[in-house]
Amino acid sequence: MTASGILFVLCAPSGTGKSTLVRRLVAEFPNFAFSVSCTTRAPRPSERDGHDYHFLSHEEFIRRRETGFFAEWAEVHGNLYGTPKAATLELLAAGRDVLFDIDVQGARQLRSSLGQGAYVFLFPPSPEELSRRLLGRGTETPQSLARRMAAAKDEIAHSPEFDYWIVNDDLETAYQQLRAIYLAEKCRPQYQHAWQHIVQQAWGLS
Ligand code: ADP
Ligand code: 5GP
C-alpha cells in the first residue's frame, strides 16, 4: 500500500500507564489521529458515539464483520470490538499517523491484514507494581483486580510478537523511549514520499 502515515500500535496490560503516555504523545505530535473502533458494549456515561467508539448492536456488528468491514476484530471481556478498515486506510493515505488502542489479538490481526506499522508493547515493571497502580486508580474490586492481573499475564505472554518493548518504570524514561520509536519510524523511506519526490527531481532520478 502507498499510505504515508504511520500505523502506531501500543499494547499494554490495563493499569500499566498507556493512557498517560498516549496523552503526552498526541499532545506533542498533533499529526496523530485516533482510530475510532466499533463495539457492542454499552457506552459509559462520559462516552460519545462516533468519538470514543461507534456503538453498534450485536447484529449490526456481525453484519459488518461478514462484509469485511473490519481490519481486525476481537472479543474482549464478552464484547465485540473492531477497527473499521476503510476509515483507517483513508487516514493513513491522508498522511495522518494513526494510533490504535487495541488488544494483543487485534494487534496480531492488524499486522497480517494491513501489513505495516510499528507495534509497541508496554510492560509494567513488576506484577506487584501493576496491582499497586490498579489499586491506586480506585476503580477495582478484589475480583476485578484478580481478573485484570490474569489478563495481564496472558497479554505479556504475547509480548514477543511486538517490534519494540518499553518498561514503564520511570515515566519520563518510558516517554522518551516511546517518542524515540515514533521519530525513528518516521525516518523510514516509505513514510517520506514528499522528500523522495524532491530527491528525484533534484538529482534527475526517476
Ligand atoms: P492504562 O491506560 O494503561 O490503563 P493509566 O495511564 O490509566 O493506565 O495509568 C494507571 C495508573 O498508573 C495511573 O494512576 C497513572 O498515574 C499511574 N502511572 C502511569 N505511569 C506510571 C509510572 N511510570 N510510575 C508510576 N505510576 C504511573
Ligand atoms: P474498553 O471497553 O475498556 O474501552 O476496552 C476494553 C479493551 O478492548 C481494551 O483492551 C482495548 O484495547 C480493547 N479494544 C478497544 N477497541 C478495540 C478494537 O477495535 N479491536 C480490538 N482488538 N480491541 C479493542
Side-chain angles (χ1 to χ4, degrees), residues 12-23 101 122 125 129-130 132-134 136-138 148 167-172 174:
S14 174
T16 301
K18 181 166 71 175
S19 319
T20 308
L21 288 164
V22 161
R23 266 197 299 277
D101 178 357
L122 187 66
E129 176 60 15
L130 181 61
R132 254 195 302 280
R133 288 184 194 172
L134 284 166
R137 279 202 312 209
R148 285 188 194 271
V167 182
N168 184 20
D169 189 354
D170 174 64
L171 186 63
E172 188 57 30

Side-chain angles (χ1 to χ4, degrees), residues 23-149:
R23 266 197 299 277
R24 200 165 153 188
L25 192 70
V26 299
E28 182 174 357
F29 300 103
N31 197 44
F32 270 115
F34 279 104
S35 162
V36 180
S37 298
C38 297
T39 183
T40 60
R41 98 156 152 67
R44 295 177 183 140
S46 63
E47 289 177 331
R48 277 188 291 136
D49 189 30
H51 179 77
D52 300 285
Y53 282 104
H54 301 288
F55 295 98
L56 303 181
S57 67
H58 193 83
E59 296 67 38
E60 178 60 14
F61 191 102
I62 301 292
R63 195 190 64 72
R64 291 194 192 187
R65 194 178 69 188
E66 281 164 7
T67 64
F69 181 83
F70 297 115
E72 64 75 33
W73 69 273
E75 184 170 340
V76 187
H77 310 138
N79 293 301
L80 297 173
Y81 294 84
T83 301
K85 188 170 186 171
T88 303
L89 293 178
E90 274 164 31
L91 285 167
L92 291 170
R96 299 295 299 275
D97 299 321
V98 186
L99 199 54
F100 292 82
D101 178 357
I102 59 178
D103 78 326
V104 290
Q105 319 164 60
R108 182 196 292 154
Q109 284 179 59
L110 201 61
R111 198 201 282 274
S112 68
S113 75
L114 297 183
Q116 62 163 26
Y119 293 76
V120 183
F121 193 89
L122 187 66
F123 290 84
S126 64
E128 295 73 25
E129 176 60 15
L130 181 61
S131 41
R132 254 195 302 280
R133 288 184 194 172
L134 284 166
L135 289 171
R137 279 202 312 209
T139 50
E140 308 303 318
T141 63
Q143 292 83 350
S144 72
L145 179 67
R147 251 200 323 273
R148 285 188 194 271
M149 292 302 291

